Amino acid sequence: MIKTERFPVGELEANCFFVTDEEAKEAFLVDTGDYSYELEERIRDFGAGNIKYLLLTHGHFDHIGYVAEMKKKMPWVKIVIGKDDAHFTKENDLLALAYGMPPERFEADILAEDGTELPFGTQTIKVLATPGHTKGGVCYLVGNSLFTGDTLIKGTIGRTDFPTGDIVEMMASLRKLMALEGDYHVYCGHDNNTTLQKERTMNPYMRKAYDHLY
């Protein structure tokens, strides 16, 4: 069984998640966008050597801004990002420049695609390609937890008017999430956690994506 803890970081309060499999004594991080004293303390308490992955849902600065520093502190950790967002790790995008916060460059270890699977403790992390907010945006599915970044946010979705964003691709990605069987705890890139079933029924963008299909 996995446990997920949320740490909002940075000016835009992007969510970073610390996810543990207590039975296997392994952990991974999702979207380390900025420094967090509380997160650093949690990592020390758990044991930095037990952290296996740093998963990135997409390449915007508020989600990857502290990745290079994390890699320096934990060089064994595998950095994972969607293949089509790999350029964000080496280039300053317009959004970062607009905020005056270009992240330090780094190399990803794994360029994920739709269906990529990553072993984790007693579980398997499955990658779902979900373009729309960015071309290479991905979600991560493990157990009954779904990490959606800025694809699906409680009651809304991520913007599609930034470079490489696309509303048509976003609608297709929302339909992919809607089609997942059963319910999941949804851990978003911003705001509070939610569930997939709540978003299926209450999120106007999810409902619009469904109506467009049927």
Side-chain angles (χ1 to χ4, degrees), residues 38-54:
E38 292 78 12
L39 176 60
E40 297 274 354
E41 286 292 293
R42 184 67 181 95
I43 290 172
R44 279 192 286 270
D45 289 344
F46 188 78
N50 298 315
I51 298 177
K52 192 169 185 179
Y53 302 111
L54 204 174

Side-chain angles (χ1 to χ4, degrees), residues 182-196:
D183 198 9
Y184 292 88
H185 297 290
V186 174
Y187 299 96
C188 315
H190 298 270
D191 208 342
N192 293 321
N193 310 330
T194 182
T195 68
L196 186 57

Side-chain angles (χ1 to χ4, degrees), residues 31 54-59 64 79-89 108 110-114 116 127-131 134-140:
D31 288 354
L54 204 174
L55 307 180
L56 305 176
T57 60
H58 63 291
I64 70 168
I79 299 172
V80 184
I81 195 169
K83 179 184 68 174
D84 289 331
D85 267 16
H87 62 96
F88 284 109
T89 70
I110 300 172
L111 301 183
E113 301 182 72
D114 191 52
T116 295
V127 178
L128 305 176
T130 51
T134 63
K135 184 67 176 178
V138 297
C139 296
Y140 297 97

Side-chain angles (χ1 to χ4, degrees), residues 1-90:
M1 183 174 182
I2 67 171
K3 176 183 178 182
T4 300
E5 299 163 71
R6 182 170 68 96
F7 297 85
V9 299
E11 286 186 19
L12 302 183
E13 295 193 320
N15 288 328
C16 174
F17 296 101
F18 184 71
V19 186
T20 57
D21 183 327
E22 295 288 346
E23 182 180 346
K25 194 63 177 176
E26 284 188 355
F28 65 82
L29 293 161
V30 181
D31 288 354
T32 54
D34 207 341
Y35 172 78
S36 165
Y37 174 80
E38 292 78 12
L39 176 60
E40 297 274 354
E41 286 292 293
R42 184 67 181 95
I43 290 172
R44 279 192 286 270
D45 289 344
F46 188 78
N50 298 315
I51 298 177
K52 192 169 185 179
Y53 302 111
L54 204 174
L55 307 180
L56 305 176
T57 60
H58 63 291
H60 284 158
F61 78 95
D62 54 327
H63 294 260
I64 70 168
Y66 202 65
V67 172
E69 192 63 30
M70 281 291 192
K71 185 68 169 180
K72 292 174 188 176
K73 295 177 180 180
M74 301 181 292
W76 57 86
V77 171
K78 300 297 184 184
I79 299 172
V80 184
I81 195 169
K83 179 184 68 174
D84 289 331
D85 267 16
H87 62 96
F88 284 109
T89 70
K90 302 175 184 179

